[in-house]
Amino acid sequence: MHFPAPLEAEALLDEATAHNPGAWVEHSRFAGQAARAIAAHTGDLDPDAAYAFGTLHDIGRRSGVYHLRHVMDGYRYLLELGYPEAARIAITHSFPLPNLDAYIGDFDCSAEDIAFLRHFLKTVEYTRYDRLIQLCDALAAPTGFCLVEQRMVDVALRYGTNAFMMDKWKAIFDLKEGFETSIGCSIYSVLPGIEAHVFGYNHK
């Protein structure tokens, strides 16, 4: 498996920020941190790989303010850099359900890209890294780690819902349960400072 080193992933995100600054950048940082923290407790996932994949999952947003297009922009960009595993996660992070019609947002891609995505999602076999970043995408707000439910409501308020929303939420809760079984504890217990963000509580 070939993935960017943590410092390279951070540099790529910093470079992307100059192209299109926004809340997505800090969301990406927290997703990477959550992925590393959870991976460190699994015994079978590389924390550095998880951090890179989480940090770069939304890197397609470097191209501008787009919806579905950001997954294809990220896929192409990371493939060009020689990181196929990170490239696939640029797509898979948005699809806890491997169904293009479950996507919430504008289908602002070319017809060719939409056809590619439909085929990709019908044939892809998700890895543990795919699943981890799907979960961490739901644990990362731009201001810190959050409860899965908080992220779900935030996304629904911003982008709306569709007929697949309940199934998508169930899929994310299944991911949460699966990783908690894997690490033997609540995922929230390994995310530093989550109390301050969720409850406004600070140990200091």
Side-chain angles (χ1 to χ4, degrees), residues 116-183:
F116 171 84
L117 287 169
R118 286 197 186 280
H119 177 74
F120 179 94
L121 292 169
K122 285 179 180 178
T123 58
V124 67
E125 294 185 10
Y126 287 160
T127 69
R128 287 264 283 166
Y129 289 105
D130 291 308
R131 291 305 197 183
L132 176 62
I133 306 310
Q134 289 166 357
L135 175 61
C136 291
D137 193 23
L139 292 170
T143 51
F145 303 122
C146 63
L147 302 181
V148 166
E149 293 88 341
Q150 287 178 300
R151 179 71 173 165
M152 288 174 171
V153 172
D154 171 64
V155 171
L157 288 173
R158 286 187 291 124
Y159 296 110
T161 63
N162 65 19
F164 296 92
M165 181 63 81
M166 292 297 104
D167 289 337
K168 184 175 181 179
W169 285 1
K170 289 175 184 176
I172 295 171
F173 281 123
D174 286 345
L175 291 175
K176 176 179 177 293
E177 181 178 346
F179 275 99
E180 287 180 332
T181 298
S182 175
I183 68 178

Side-chain angles (χ1 to χ4, degrees), residues 57-58 70-71 88-96 133-134 137:
H57 77 280
D58 263 347
H70 89 278
V71 306
R88 65 179 274 134
I89 289 172
I91 294 177
T92 61
H93 79 272
S94 285
F95 296 97
I133 306 310
Q134 289 166 357
D137 193 23

